[in-house]
Amino acid sequence: MTTLTLSRALNEGLRKALENNPKALIMGEDVGKLGGVFRVTDGLQKDFGEARVIDTPLAESGIIGTAIGLALRGYRPICEIQFDGFVFPAFDQIVSQLAKMRYRSRGPVRLPVVVRIPFGGGIGAVEHHSESPEALFAHTPGLRVVSCGGPADGYAMIQQAAESDDPVIFFEPKRRYWDKADVDVETGLADALPLAAARVLIPGSDVTVLCYGPMVRTCSEAAVAASGDGRSVEVVDLRSLAPLDTATIFASVRKTGRCVVVHEAVVTGGIGAEIAARITEECFYSLEAPVLRVGAPTTPYPPSRLEEHYLPDLDRILDAVDRTFGY
Amino acid sequence: MAVKDAGRAARSASRVPPAREPERQVESPELIQLLTPEGERVEHPDYPLDVSAAEVRGLYRDLVIVRRIDFEAIALQRQGELGIWASLLGQEAAQVGSGRALGPRDMAFPTYREHGVAWCRGLDPMKLFELFRGVSHGGWDPTAHNFHLYTIVIGSQTLHATGYAMGIQRDGAVGEDGAAVIAYFGDGATSQGDVNEAFIWASVNNAPVVFFCQNNQWAISEPLERQTRTPLYRRAIGFGFPGIRVDGNDVLACLAVTRKAMQAAREGQGPTLIEAFTYRMGAHTTTDDPTRYRLSAELESWKLKDPIERVKQYLIRTQQAEMSFFDKVDAEAAQIGASVRTACQQMPDPEPLSMFDDVLTSQTRQLADERAEFAAYLDSFATAEEGR
């Protein structure tokens, strides 16, 4: 075991991906000498060369569009979009081309392209640097959408994403880049949880809390706090947002009878809404309370001096947990 | 008084300043031409072309056949057999000339109007009919003929072409026996961000890609003057690579210019922009009505520059073909026309459950559930029918 930050764990995972497959490439803005603005690609260009770790022109549509072309030629590009709010110039290439080309071909085309996106708020940034656009991608058939919560998953999941023959949108919780945890970088990934699987992080019996990305830590802290009040909270890290691991979700909710979904994204039309609808359809007779959502209000991301009010925190999660016992 | 002034200000603000007189996009001295509209062979110092009589007859046959397939498709749309068709009428020479300049290792990235290029690459025309009939979104393997899927969003494929060319570089496939890529697009596409980004990527990477712009003068109803104030081929210089304007109705010039640009790309000399100056003789698609926005005089003037007639005149004048050759080509085109017509009419609809196929490389549990649910729903009708 080695103690690594999330940024470093992703870096080690990317290094493994480049070592394991000579067709793997990294491309993005400032990913070379600088090592990315969050240093996730630090040192990779030095070790793997400019042909495999590519500093691209400053145009996101171009990054994804050329990555598609490289994938058609047999390469496996891992693209970095510098910040969540900058993915939209590439949105057309992702939604209309990356997600649909295999379907268009009726099978022969494979596009093993990873799109890494640092996402979420809490870092005191200016506009466009704190967004959570994951539902837009999860709503798009033809994409796999995942998010890691901490260093161990970051290390494993980025390698699994790189090995996937499908396009993967990979959301990295940027405010957790400097969180540290033990990561096993010695043994391979043979026993790792599959990329599309959720993980029961903290087992519990009274209420299920579903979360992903930056909210995994917050929800874990909420579970500890709730246990002090005598409430047993089961925390499930969804990890995969498309497809959803509904088997794990339903098993947990059938056991506890209560569910709170937590994300930084706005609740309207969000991942939580999708999950709540599916739980209602499949677990109706197990429910003791409606599925509650904790997320952002339906406003654009506010100026950073307001973000502590905008983002879900420990108290809002505990408040929702309490409310599920009020029915 | 103040109110009156405010009204005047509002009126003048809403008045759009007159567009500056656009540069007339007519044949200019820079236009590369090897065969005049009258069928006279002319030489160009930069583009010597050595073609045999058999090759010219082959090009003529291609031109006639792709026009015939296009003609059948329009008729089939009128009869309700195709949902829509995007006609290539008038652009046959640009497509056949460039298409026949490609080698087997080269890769082509088309828009949705490159039926002539598809023909040159050996794609079964029925694949195109599948798309326009609504049976598939294309459904061919791009590697089978090194002809990528049709791309409908304007300009997107120029980036795919550029990325593919970067892959060729990484494969070490640039050099004497190298491969290159050709990206097709139209005059309207040159306004798209993706096309401009593709120019930048290709330029800074010196990627082996040829940008082949068929300037057919119209982006649906918008004339070229809505897209540009400078001749399109001149844009290349700002991106750092050469641009050439070629007579897009001259199949020999299109062949020579594309050959040279592709060879330069294969050898590692980087991208070229070719502007094939041509005219969309038909509607944008079968749903369009060009009489609403353009004058028939313009159409008539372009009829005199027909890409097929000039080759015929050239072959006759130089006695490189007997009249029986033209009869034979016409008969072959008619036969191909009849066979695509029959094949299109007999094309079955896809199975309903096939819509669940090929979303990802493996079916997710979620989608498998949706498929099963829909299958059961369909079966419920069959069961109800049996119970009657």
Side-chain angles (χ1 to χ4, degrees):
Chain A
M1 288 287 175
T2 317
T3 305
L4 297 176
T5 61
L6 172 60
S7 171
R8 191 72 209 170
L10 288 163
N11 180 272
E12 293 294 334
L14 289 168
R15 177 177 293 278
K16 281 271 182 347
L18 290 169
E19 282 169 1
N20 291 342
N21 195 327
K23 294 290 189 183
L25 306 172
I26 286 175
M27 50 198 293
E29 297 155 8
D30 309 300
V31 298
K33 277 209 179 85
L34 182 67
V37 295
F38 293 108
R39 306 297 180 264
V40 173
T41 56
D42 185 34
L44 297 178
Q45 190 183 64
K46 186 169 147 284
D47 293 343
F48 294 92
E50 289 182 16
R52 295 192 66 197
V53 181
I54 307 164
D55 268 331
T56 66
L58 210 168
E60 288 77 11
S61 190
I63 295 172
I64 305 302
T66 54
I68 290 169
L70 280 155
L72 289 167
R73 181 76 189 180
Y75 286 87
R76 307 180 70 88
I78 304 166
C79 306
E80 176 174 304
I81 298 293
Q82 202 159 71
F83 281 89
D84 35 58
F86 303 156
V87 74
F88 298 106
F91 198 59
D92 170 52
Q93 282 286 349
I94 294 173
V95 172
S96 298
Q97 305 301 330
L98 186 61
K100 296 188 171 83
M101 205 174 282
R102 177 177 174 78
Y103 196 72
R104 188 179 303 152
S105 77
R106 297 195 72 99
V109 168
R110 288 171 182 226
L111 292 181
V113 175
V114 180
V115 183
R116 295 181 37 241
I117 308 177
F119 84 123
I123 62 162
V126 295
E127 201 183 0
H128 313 299
H129 290 69
S130 304
E131 299 176 8
S132 297
E134 60 273 17
L136 299 172
F137 298 94
H139 188 68
T140 303
L143 301 174
R144 292 181 181 273
V145 183
V146 302
S147 180
C148 56
D153 267 356
Y155 173 74
M157 288 171 74
I158 193 63
Q159 292 180 70
Q160 292 170 320
E163 285 169 12
S164 169
D165 279 338
D166 296 315
V168 180
I169 313 298
F170 194 95
F171 283 99
E172 300 171 0
K174 72 169 84 79
R175 69 162 133 160
R176 307 296 184 211
Y177 271 139
W178 315 116
D179 284 8
K180 285 182 184 174
D182 284 344
V183 180
D184 179 3
V185 293
E186 303 303 325
T187 47
L189 298 180
D191 297 327
L193 200 59
L195 188 60
R199 172 184 280 118
V200 179
L201 205 60
I202 300 173
S205 54
D206 296 337
V207 53
T208 298
V209 171
L210 303 174
C211 56
Y212 56 88
M215 286 293 105
V216 172
R217 185 176 121 185
T218 316
C219 289
S220 301
E221 289 165 0
V224 172
S227 73
D229 298 335
R231 290 217 164 113
S232 170
V233 175
E234 177 149 301
V235 178
V236 178
D237 178 357
L238 294 169
R239 297 173 12 116
S240 175
L241 308 178
L244 283 166
D245 179 0
T246 46
T248 302
I249 295 169
F250 296 159
S252 178
V253 173
R254 286 191 183 113
K255 182 175 72 174
T256 61
R258 292 179 177 83
C259 182
V260 177
V261 193
V262 184
H263 51 56
E264 284 191 14
V266 294
V267 291
T268 305
I271 299 289
E274 176 61 31
I275 291 173
R278 286 180 183 267
I279 290 174
T280 308
E281 284 169 358
E282 296 294 328
C283 310
F284 190 68
Y285 292 107
S286 306
L287 288 174
E288 303 290 343
V291 178
L292 297 184
R293 293 172 291 168
V294 178
T298 310
T299 71
Y301 201 91
S304 63
R305 294 285 171 156
L306 287 172
E307 70 183 345
E308 66 174 293
H309 301 290
Y310 182 79
L311 293 169
D313 61 8
L314 197 86
D315 290 333
R316 276 174 57 197
I317 295 164
L318 290 174
D319 175 64
V321 165
D322 282 347
R323 280 190 286 128
T324 63
F325 288 89
Y327 292 89
Chain B
M1 196 62 197
V3 172
K4 206 173 170 186
D5 281 350
R8 190 176 302 155
R11 271 198 305 282
S12 77
S14 70
R15 199 174 298 146
V16 179
R20 202 186 303 182
E21 195 58 36
E23 191 174 339
R24 247 343 253 157
Q25 300 281 323
V26 292
E27 278 127 318
S28 53
E30 310 95 331
L31 190 83
I32 311 291
Q33 193 177 66
L34 299 183
L35 194 60
T36 68
E38 293 75 32
E40 260 176 72
R41 182 79 168 83
V42 287
E43 294 297 330
H44 191 287
D46 297 334
Y47 297 96
L49 181 70
D50 192 17
V51 281
S52 67
E55 280 177 276
V56 180
R57 285 196 301 267
L59 293 169
Y60 178 81
R61 173 181 171 269
D62 288 336
L63 294 168
V64 171
I65 290 172
V66 299
R67 180 172 288 184
R68 182 58 187 238
I69 293 171
D70 190 73
F71 174 83
E72 292 296 343
I74 293 167
L76 285 162
Q77 193 280 334
R78 298 289 183 240
Q79 294 155 21
E81 295 290 341
L82 294 178
I84 192 171
W85 181 256
S87 169
L88 62 36
L89 189 66
Q91 298 173 225
E92 296 90 347
Q95 295 194 13
V96 168
S98 61
R100 287 298 178 204
L102 309 179
R105 280 197 302 271
D106 297 327
M107 183 75 189
F109 283 82
T111 69
Y112 48 80
R113 204 190 294 278
E114 264 65 76
H115 321 316
V117 186
W119 169 260
C120 294
R121 297 308 274 170
L123 186 80
D124 180 354
M126 273 309 107
K127 284 291 169 193
L128 310 178
F129 283 54
E130 264 183 35
L131 189 160
F132 288 101
R133 188 174 165 92
V135 168
S136 78
H137 291 320
W140 65 82
D141 181 352
T143 64
H145 301 280
N146 272 8
F147 184 71
H148 189 64
L149 295 154
Y150 270 11
T151 299
I152 293 178
V153 179
I154 302 300
S156 303
Q157 75 284 358
T158 56
L159 279 170
H160 308 157
T162 304
Y164 192 95
M166 290 166 66
I168 290 176
Q169 290 178 300
R170 278 159 182 74
D171 290 344
V174 179
E176 217 158 279
D177 298 323
V181 182
I182 188 164
Y184 288 90
F185 55 104
D187 43 296
T190 62
S191 299
Q192 285 281 3
D194 276 5
V195 173
N196 288 274
E197 290 182 25
F199 288 172
I200 290 163
W201 247 263
S203 175
V204 300
N205 288 291
N206 203 41
V209 56
V210 171
F211 295 106
F212 194 90
C213 175
Q214 289 168 82
N215 174 3
N216 69 10
Q217 315 300 328
W218 292 94
I220 307 188
S221 70
E222 297 201 3
L224 190 64
E225 291 77 13
R226 289 283 99 206
Q227 314 294 342
T228 189
R229 291 226 350 236
T230 190
L232 293 175
Y233 75 97
R234 279 193 204 150
R235 289 210 185 148
I237 195 72
F239 290 94
F241 53 86
I244 308 153
R245 180 182 279 185
V246 62
D247 180 348
N249 287 17
D250 174 353
V251 71
L252 298 184
C254 288
L255 177 69
V257 167
T258 311
R259 254 187 200 166
K260 188 168 175 178
M262 289 296 283
Q263 192 52 29
R266 288 183 205 113
E267 287 171 358
Q269 294 172 45
T272 303
L273 169 63
I274 298 172
E275 177 190 4
F277 201 77
T278 182
Y279 193 75
R280 195 193 76 206
M281 297 298 285
H284 164 68
T285 68
T286 44
T287 61
D288 178 35
D289 174 11
T291 64
R292 291 178 71 97
Y293 53 79
R294 68 184 190 187
L295 298 171
S296 60
E298 188 177 83
L299 190 69
E300 292 305 317
S301 78
W302 278 92
K303 272 186 188 161
L304 301 174
K305 301 172 194 167
D306 184 70
I308 301 184
E309 193 53 30
R310 70 176 76 181
V311 183
K312 188 173 184 178
Q313 290 309 318
Y314 170 66
L315 285 170
I316 293 170
R317 175 174 302 160
T318 55
Q319 297 180 328
Q320 294 189 68
E322 308 267 331
M323 285 319 283
S324 62
F325 163 75
F326 299 107
D327 294 341
K328 214 179 84 186
V329 169
D330 285 346
E332 187 189 2
Q335 183 265 319
I336 290 172
S339 80
V340 296
R341 189 164 60 238
T342 309
C344 179
Q345 287 161 342
Q346 292 173 351
M347 196 184 291
D349 283 350
E351 290 298 317
L353 292 178
S354 70
M355 75 171 122
F356 293 94
D357 295 340
D358 305 316
V359 179
L360 295 169
T361 53
S362 59
Q363 195 163 49
T364 63
R365 184 184 162 153
Q366 228 163 278
L367 195 56
D369 288 348
E370 286 182 29
R371 184 196 180 103
E373 206 173 293
F374 192 67
Y377 172 73
L378 290 179
D379 283 348
S380 71
F381 292 101
T383 315
E385 201 67 23
E386 280 164 25
R388 221 172 261 174

